[in-house]
Amino acid sequence: CTQKLFHMKNQDTILSNFDNISRIYGAYHIGEEFIMIDNLDDELVPEDIDSVFVKYPIRITCNTVYFCVQGTLTVKINLHEYQISSNETLTILPGSIMEVVDSSFDVRIAVISFSNDYFSPIEHTETSMNISQIVSVNPKISLTEPLMRECIDIYLKMKEKLKQKDNPFRKFALKAYSYVLCAISFEQLVTKPIEKISNTDRPMSLYDQFIKLVQQNFRQHRTIQYYAEMLNITPKYFSVLIKKVSGKTAGEWIDEYVLLEARALLKSRQYTVQQVSDMLSFPNQSFFAKYFKAHTGLTPTQYQTSTD
């Protein structure tokens, strides 16, 4: 019997939408501020309960940390693929779009997700921004086995505290535990070898600038001409450069970001097709529907109502 992980009784996304959170299997939370979910107890779950490991994008609106105790989990964060295995963590910053790609049958994961209003581990703005920049480039952290055991021990203490709804000090205790977890993570983060945030090589530098521009502007601008002008190079040279550096054309990168956002918005079930079309600056719903179907094979409505 295959075990399903991080289950919920409906198709609402959880780490990006706290609606109906009390119905999510195995979730413990404080309002819309703090949530804990795990599958550490090996409990079998009925097959009729849907898994949160759905194969469509989820926009993350809270700081979210995955602790992998066993097995492997593969996810995409803003189109970049990461795999975590035992004794590794993955941090996802607010505003990112996450999509689960694969998980091993024996994966054991603990998840903590919290809003900035609930808990800000670093009060100093400049330091906080520096940490965020490092995390955005290096979201995966490797821990020693003793450190992971310490983190999970703290996690389980937090979970028990979270269940104590009548305890007037549970929120205070949870924040204290949270500071300890962040201290462990930050210590590993600042001492690990850091990947380059950008490359001094001109083609790679232009590619990095292009991707940042797309992330900021794809909702309003989808033409190669626009991004070439922003980078002060000709569209022809721009197209050749991006293809050579990344293996994809500039148009393909733009389309991937547009479709990723469209899929996340549609599957959130919070918006109509018309609203999604407007949010992505399409001239009308019909144009958006043709664009979406040309790239996915499904109409927006078909995709939104599908259970895959």
Side-chain angles (χ1 to χ4, degrees):
C1 177
T2 301
Q3 293 184 349
K4 291 187 174 183
L5 311 175
F6 295 3
H7 306 269
M8 59 184 179
K9 295 183 179 179
N10 55 38
Q11 289 295 331
D12 291 338
T13 58
I14 62 167
L15 298 181
S16 61
N17 182 0
F18 283 86
D19 291 346
N20 302 316
I21 196 169
S22 61
R23 294 185 291 165
I24 299 170
Y25 183 87
Y28 296 91
H29 68 102
I30 295 178
E32 299 186 358
E33 301 175 309
F34 185 87
I35 179 173
M36 304 179 72
I37 308 177
D38 66 79
N39 69 319
L40 300 176
D41 58 8
D42 295 327
E43 181 181 349
L44 286 173
V45 179
E47 289 293 319
D48 61 346
I49 297 179
D50 297 321
S51 171
V52 77
F53 283 157
V54 287
K55 297 298 191 294
Y56 57 77
I58 299 173
R59 178 168 287 282
I60 304 298
T61 59
C62 291
N63 301 281
T64 301
V65 184
Y66 281 73
F67 296 85
C68 185
V69 178
Q70 176 182 308
T72 60
L73 177 69
T74 304
V75 303
K76 283 185 179 180
I77 304 174
N78 297 330
L79 298 177
H80 295 283
E81 190 169 299
Y82 301 91
Q83 183 181 83
I84 56 172
S85 53
S86 57
N87 300 325
E88 292 183 328
T89 71
L90 188 70
T91 301
I92 308 174
L93 297 175
S96 302
I97 295 183
M98 183 200 77
E99 183 173 12
V100 173
V101 177
D102 194 21
S103 60
S104 64
F105 75 95
D106 62 339
V107 70
R108 295 293 175 267
I109 298 285
V111 182
I112 295 178
S113 190
F114 58 91
S115 68
N116 287 327
D117 291 337
Y118 174 80
F119 172 69
S120 180
I122 300 178
E123 302 297 339
H124 192 277
T125 302
E126 184 176 347
T127 303
S128 180
M129 289 178 65
N130 288 338
I131 289 291
S132 295
Q133 186 180 33
I134 294 173
V135 170
S136 68
V137 179
N138 302 267
K140 188 167 76 168
I141 299 175
S142 296
L143 302 177
T144 63
E145 189 171 339
L147 275 179
M148 179 58 80
R149 284 201 302 269
E150 181 180 354
C151 287
I152 295 304
D153 183 54
I154 294 171
Y155 174 90
L156 293 174
K157 286 182 170 65
M158 293 173 73
K159 185 176 176 180
E160 287 304 310
K161 192 65 65 176
L162 191 54
K163 293 178 183 179
Q164 300 171 8
K165 296 182 179 181
D166 295 332
N167 184 344
F169 302 106
R170 66 169 183 158
K171 194 170 181 178
F172 177 83
L174 286 169
K175 287 186 178 182
Y177 282 131
S178 297
Y179 274 107
V180 177
L181 284 180
C182 286
I184 293 172
S185 299
F186 290 161
E187 181 182 3
Q188 301 305 306
L189 188 64
V190 299
T191 57
K192 68 174 286 190
I194 301 300
E195 298 175 17
K196 291 183 179 180
I197 294 176
S198 62
N199 196 310
T200 54
D201 177 68
R202 177 168 169 77
M204 278 301 301
S205 179
L206 286 171
Y207 166 73
D208 289 341
Q209 292 177 60
F210 164 63
I211 292 299
K212 290 178 182 178
L213 285 171
V214 173
Q215 291 174 340
Q216 296 167 1
N217 299 285
F218 72 87
R219 295 172 189 84
Q220 291 81 33
H221 301 284
R222 290 186 289 276
T223 67
I224 294 175
Q225 179 77 26
Y226 172 82
Y227 293 99
E229 289 179 357
M230 291 287 288
L231 294 169
N232 294 316
I233 55 179
T234 66
K236 182 177 180 180
Y237 175 67
F238 172 66
S239 298
V240 171
L241 181 147
I242 298 300
K243 176 70 173 179
K244 182 178 180 180
V245 171
S246 69
K248 295 180 183 179
T249 66
E252 287 172 334
W253 278 113
I254 296 166
D255 286 338
E256 284 205 35
Y257 274 95
V258 173
L259 291 166
L260 185 67
E261 180 81 353
R263 291 166 61 204
L265 291 171
L266 289 168
K267 280 298 186 180
S268 74
R269 306 277 171 74
Q270 298 179 69
Y271 309 104
T272 65
V273 174
Q274 179 64 63
Q275 288 174 317
V276 174
S277 175
D278 293 341
M279 293 166 76
L280 294 175
S281 303
F282 281 88
N284 53 60
Q285 181 176 330
S286 176
F287 192 94
F288 169 62
K290 290 178 182 178
Y291 174 91
F292 191 87
K293 186 171 184 179
H295 287 87
T296 67
L298 297 172
T299 67
T301 301
Q302 289 172 333
Y303 179 78
Q304 188 174 49
T305 57
S306 67
T307 56
D308 295 337

